[in-house]
Structure formats: C-alpha cells, structure tokens
C-alpha cells in the first residue's frame, strides 16, 4: 500500500515493475486485491482468527464443525511448531546467558573495560546466573529418572526415611491433589522405597554410600536434613532446578506457577511479617556512646532450608558443597550453616559465597508461625489460599497438617481454632 500511495517515489514506481504510473481507479483496484489476498493469507495462517477465540467465536465455530476438523489438524501442527520454537528460544537465551558470563569472566583482571555503564537508572547487575552444562556421566541412572519425571527441567524433591512415613503419605497425597506430576522421593531406606512404589510415587534410591547411609537410616530430623546438601549436588550437575521440600509441608496450589526463577536460591522464610522476612534496619542503642549511641544493623530472619528452589548454577553448587563440607566437620544445625553461607560477606580470612537470593512471599509460601499467630485471626488474610504451608514451627506436625487440610481444602472454617499459637 505504501508503495502505491507514494507520490514522489520514482524509484519505487520503477521498482514496482509497472513502467507507467497507475491511474487512480486501478490503484483502488490494486488496494482491494491486496486486501483480499492478505485476508486469504490470514485465514490460512490463523484459521481460528487473529485473536483468541471469544465466547461468541466458540459459539460460531460449533456451526462449522466439518471445516473445523481440517483446520484443527493445522492448529495442532502450528502449536507444535510454536512449542518447538519456544524451546529453541529458551535454548538460545541460555546460550546468550552463558556467553555473556564467559565474556565477563574473560574481562576480569584486564585493563580494558568490556562494559560501559549506561546512563543513570539503567544499569542492572546479573542475578540470573547461567546454568551449568548438564553432565550425565555423574549419574546416568538418575539422569534417566529425572528425564522422565521433570517438567521443563524442574521437579520437587524430598528425602524421607521411615521415621516420617505417615507424614510422607499426607505430603504426596496433597501434591497429587493439586495435580503436580513432577515430584520425586529420595528414599533413605527399603521401607520407604516400597511404600512409595506401592502408592504409585516415583522413588529414587541412591547407590550405597557408607557415610551417608548411616545418617540416612538412623538419623533424626536435623541429621537427615543435612543430608540433602550432598544428595542434591548430582541433581544440579544434571542440569535440573530443584524445589527441595521437607515432608511436613502441605501443597495447596502448584508451586511452579509462583516462582520467579531469577536467583540461584529462592527460599521460603522463617520470618513472620514483612520486616522479619524481607529484611530491616535494626537500630542498636548504646547510650554510653552519647552522640553515636545508635548503631544500625542489617537483619533478616533465616531462610528455611526445608523449602527452597535452587537453580543449577555454579554458585548454587558451591553453596551445597560449602554447607555439606561444614556439616561434615562441625556439629552445627544445617539451617544455620545454610544461611551463614548465603549471607555473610567476604572479610579478612574468609571468602564469602556470592549466590543471588530471593525471599519467597510469606503469605504464599507460609510457615506455621505466620498461619497460627497471624493469618487464622485475620479476616482478610484468612481468605488467601497459600501455595504451601510448612509446619516448621510446631512439633505436633501431623495433627496440624490435617487441620490445615480441613481448613484450606475442605473449607472447615474453625479447623485451626483449637490449637495454641505456639507449642504449650
Ligand atoms: C507487606 O509487603 C507486601 C508486598 O510488598 C505489601 O503488599 C503489603 O502491603 C505489606 N504489608 C504490610 C503490613 O506492610
């Protein structure tokens, strides 16, 4: 159209192949012809219309079932082409990520500046580190299992031994209820392995490893919890993102619809309100210092190492290694170590880990302190349906798990009332 309409375009007219300029009437004819041709092309490419079918379009389509039959084949074909293009696009984006990381690394220690900082307000550092190159040779058996169960290279993983069998059943029953297919139990003993199999739950058993196996079979809560940092390494090396979950967790919605995926570690918090969960400036007062009596401190409640999403990146694997290494040498609580490694900066004699972090929404990924201390007493917050509830703050776990299901799944409004805020 632009070609035909252009008055002072000798090049265009000559290039248009016409020789003589077109008359007014024939220009209109050409325009109409082009319009019809475009319409045909569109009808061919988008048999369902250019826009998503509206209710009336659906109504209409019922009258043309016979033609819809042929075009639905084309739609399926186009959809699969689109899916494959999306996959290619994701792969290319991953490669860009990787290359820009390499470029940055190559630039380190050189005088030349590879990057010029843009104008004020436009610079943004890297949070989303490139994923590692998947290495199937570390565990081909696991690679095969993950290839089958993962969705978009992601899955929920939990470790379990027979001590938590009853809770495990509640755990996977609720995951199944919300329709999440990509989850896997790492069984730490025979009993749990056969229990999972008999319930149609995909289960993975590690190859024998003495150091790990002793803890796995007899370990209490905290000892088993520390194991996951060793077990998870291979999962990341194989290129999968893991949503690590403890067993005392109720899934109420699909967690994969509520992740940001922009950080190495995205974790639920032990915090009980915005300040404690997301960080605050806590002013420490020392009156004897007079003029300088106030010292500002940065505080944040710890991340809960029983529920976090970890991307397969170098900083993530370094985190697992550092935590596992410290737990094998110190008598320490894995959650404390996990947080120290994540948060402490480099200082003399110590090199900090620089993993990017994101705190999950405390009302979507809810700990049981938030639920029992605040949410159940708040008319507005009560209406929100969390993605998960983690009974991390309470020892009577199974009892409270069942009450959470009564409340959120079965709609029993008073199901949470009989419990005290904390344990008594
Ligand atoms: C807590 O943070 C959320 C998200 O930033 C915000 O929407 C909400 O208003 C905050 N609540 C309070 C009590 O400050």
């Amino acid at each position: 159209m632009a070609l035909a309409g252009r008055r002072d375009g000798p090049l265009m007219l000559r290039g248009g192949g016409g020789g003589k300029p077109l008359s007014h009437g024939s220009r209109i004819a050409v325009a109409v012809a082009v319009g019809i041709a475009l319409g045909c092309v569109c009808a061919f490419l988008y048999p369902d219309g250019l826009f998503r079918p509206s209710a009336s379009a659906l109504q209409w389509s019922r009258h043309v079932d016979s033609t819809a039959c042929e075009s639905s084949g084309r739609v399926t074909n186009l959809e699969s082409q689109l899916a494959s293009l999306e996959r290619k696009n994701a792969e290319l984006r991953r490669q860009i990520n990787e290359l820009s990381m390499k470029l940055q690394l190559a630039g380190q220690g050189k005088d030349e500046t590879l990057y010029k900082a843009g104008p004020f307000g436009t610079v943004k550092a890297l949070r989303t580190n490139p994923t590692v190159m998947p290495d199937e040779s570390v565990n081909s058996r696991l690679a095969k299992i993950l290839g089958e169960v993962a969705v978009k290279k992601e899955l929920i993983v939990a470790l379990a031994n027979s001590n938590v069998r009853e809770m495990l059943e509640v755990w996977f029953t609720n995951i199944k209820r919300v329709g999440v297919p990509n989850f896997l139990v790492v069984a730490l003993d025979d009993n749990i392995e056969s229990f999972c199999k008999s319930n149609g739950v995909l289960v993975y058993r590690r190859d024998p490893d003495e150091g790990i196996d002793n803890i796995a079979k007899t370990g209490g809560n905290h000892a088993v919890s520390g194991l996951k940092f060793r077990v998870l390494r291979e999962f990341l090396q194989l290129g999968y993102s893991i949503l690590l979950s403890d067993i005392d967790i109720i899934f109420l919605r699909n967690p994969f619809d509520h992740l940001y995926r922009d950080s190495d570690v995205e974790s639920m918090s032990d915090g009980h309100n915005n300040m404690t969960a997301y960080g605050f400036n806590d002013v420490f007062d020392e009156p004897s210092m007079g003029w300088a009596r106030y010292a500002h401190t940065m505080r944040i409640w710890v991340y809960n190492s029983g529920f976090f999403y970890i991307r397969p990146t170098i900083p993530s694997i370094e985190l697992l290694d550092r935590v596992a290494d410290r737990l094998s040498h110190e008598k320490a609580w894995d959650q404390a170590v996990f947080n120290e490694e994540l948060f402490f900066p480099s200082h003399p004699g110590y090199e900090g880990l620089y993993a990017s972090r994101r705190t999950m929404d405390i009302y979507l990924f809810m700990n049981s302190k938030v639920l029992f201390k605040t949410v159940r007493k708040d008319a507005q917050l009560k209406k929100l349906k969390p993605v998960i509830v983690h009974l991390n703050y309470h020892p009577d776990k199974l009892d409270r798990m069942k009450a959470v299901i009564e409340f959120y799944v079965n709609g029993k409004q008073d199901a949470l009332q009989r419990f005290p805020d904390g344990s008594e």
Side-chain angles (χ1 to χ4, degrees):
M1 299 297 287
L3 302 189
R6 205 138 147 180
R7 279 176 193 280
D8 51 355
L11 283 176
M12 291 301 173
L13 288 176
R14 223 182 301 139
K20 264 191 289 174
L22 296 170
S23 76
H24 184 70
S26 46
R27 266 192 248 155
I28 289 174
V30 167
V32 169
V34 167
I36 289 169
L38 269 178
C40 291
V41 169
C42 284
F44 178 77
L45 287 178
Y46 307 99
D48 282 345
L50 280 168
F51 306 100
R52 283 173 170 278
S54 64
S56 62
L58 286 175
Q59 208 87 46
W60 175 79
S61 74
R62 279 198 207 108
H63 298 294
V64 288
D65 273 348
S66 54
T67 48
C69 234
E70 297 164 32
S71 47
S72 85
R74 274 207 299 269
V75 172
T76 319
N77 191 12
L78 283 170
E79 272 169 356
S80 79
Q81 279 179 25
L82 186 65
S84 122
L85 283 174
E86 269 167 3
R87 274 196 299 277
K88 262 185 212 151
N89 197 12
E91 171 62 15
L92 286 174
R93 231 178 287 142
R94 190 188 64 75
Q95 287 181 14
I96 289 174
N97 242 343
E98 222 154 77
L99 288 172
S100 62
M101 181 75 160
K102 278 184 188 150
L103 206 62
Q104 270 194 13
L105 289 176
Q108 278 177 9
K110 287 188 189 158
D111 291 339
E112 61 191 293
T113 39
L114 276 169
Y115 295 100
K116 258 192 237 163
F120 176 80
T122 65
V123 295
K124 192 166 179 188
L126 206 63
R127 289 149 189 73
T128 313
N129 288 309
T131 57
V132 296
M133 199 82 76
D135 179 4
E136 293 218 351
S137 70
V138 298
N139 187 336
S140 53
R141 185 167 65 91
L142 180 60
K144 190 159 170 286
I145 294 173
L146 296 184
E148 280 162 20
V149 68
V151 174
K152 295 188 193 148
K153 302 224 94 182
E154 301 179 319
L155 68 152
I156 301 170
V157 172
L159 275 66
N161 65 13
S162 295
N163 297 337
V164 295
R165 180 184 164 130
E166 218 177 333
M167 271 198 285
L168 180 65
E169 183 166 14
V170 178
W171 181 83
F172 64 62
T173 303
N174 282 280
I175 294 182
K176 288 179 182 174
R177 194 204 322 275
V178 293
V180 175
N182 45 332
F183 69 100
L184 175 71
V185 173
V186 178
L188 300 174
D189 57 40
D190 297 337
N191 186 309
I192 286 295
E193 184 178 14
S194 57
F195 178 64
C196 285
K197 281 181 177 160
S198 66
N199 281 282
V201 167
L202 194 65
V203 62
Y204 166 66
R205 193 74 190 278
R206 287 170 51 89
D207 292 331
D209 176 329
E210 238 177 62
I212 291 185
D213 289 349
N214 271 336
I215 307 171
K217 290 212 178 76
T218 58
N221 226 352
H222 283 180
V224 168
S225 191
L227 261 187
K228 63 186 163 223
F229 298 99
R230 302 189 43 184
V231 173
L232 279 185
R233 190 187 212 277
E234 286 181 343
F235 287 70
L236 298 196
Q237 277 182 287
L238 292 170
Y240 290 87
S241 296
I242 303 301
L243 184 58
L244 187 283
S245 172
D246 275 357
I247 297 303
D248 53 344
I249 287 176
I250 303 289
F251 286 75
L252 299 165
R253 296 158 70 181
N254 187 337
F256 295 106
D257 295 339
H258 301 273
L259 297 174
Y260 287 79
R261 301 177 176 84
D262 63 349
S263 305
D264 295 313
V265 176
E266 188 171 343
S267 177
M268 77 172 288
S269 169
D270 268 5
H272 52 89
N273 54 22
N274 281 6
M275 270 173 69
T276 56
Y278 306 145
F280 66 107
N281 182 355
D282 191 21
V283 182
F284 173 82
D285 184 11
E286 202 172 348
S288 68
M289 284 302 291
W291 180 75
R293 62 185 287 178
Y294 301 115
H296 292 249
T297 73
M298 296 298 110
R299 299 195 68 190
I300 188 167
W301 264 229
V302 289
Y303 279 4
N304 190 291
S305 61
F307 192 86
F308 58 86
Y309 177 79
I310 186 164
R311 295 183 58 245
T313 65
I314 293 295
S316 296
I317 294 174
E318 188 184 352
L319 171 68
L320 297 181
D321 287 359
R322 288 168 74 129
V323 175
D325 180 57
R326 276 188 58 190
L327 289 176
S328 70
H329 294 111
E330 304 168 24
K331 228 179 157 48
W333 182 27
D334 67 292
Q335 179 160 289
V337 172
F338 176 70
N339 278 273
E340 288 168 9
E341 294 298 330
L342 268 178
F343 287 95
F344 289 165
S346 299
H347 53 257
Y350 178 78
E351 193 174 1
L353 172 79
Y354 292 89
S356 56
R357 312 169 298 243
R358 168 181 282 279
T359 310
M360 288 174 169
D361 186 306
I362 52 170
Y363 297 119
L364 293 182
F365 297 89
M366 196 185 289
N367 65 53
S368 54
K369 184 169 170 179
V370 170
L371 176 62
F372 285 97
K373 206 182 101 144
T374 311
V375 169
R376 67 168 170 167
K377 302 169 190 169
D378 184 303
Q380 289 307 314
L381 292 174
K382 249 176 107 165
K383 289 186 206 151
L384 264 174
K385 192 170 194 178
V387 177
I388 62 141
V389 173
H390 188 180
L391 281 299
N392 60 321
Y393 269 105
H394 296 91
D396 48 346
K397 292 179 186 304
L398 196 55
D399 211 14
R400 290 194 194 233
M401 280 169 92
K402 288 177 178 161
V404 166
I405 296 166
E406 282 299 308
F407 182 76
Y408 283 113
V409 180
N410 301 330
K412 212 173 137 206
Q413 282 304 305
D414 59 353
L416 300 173
Q417 272 167 18
R418 66 193 163 93
F419 298 94
D421 284 5
S423 57
E424 283 185 345

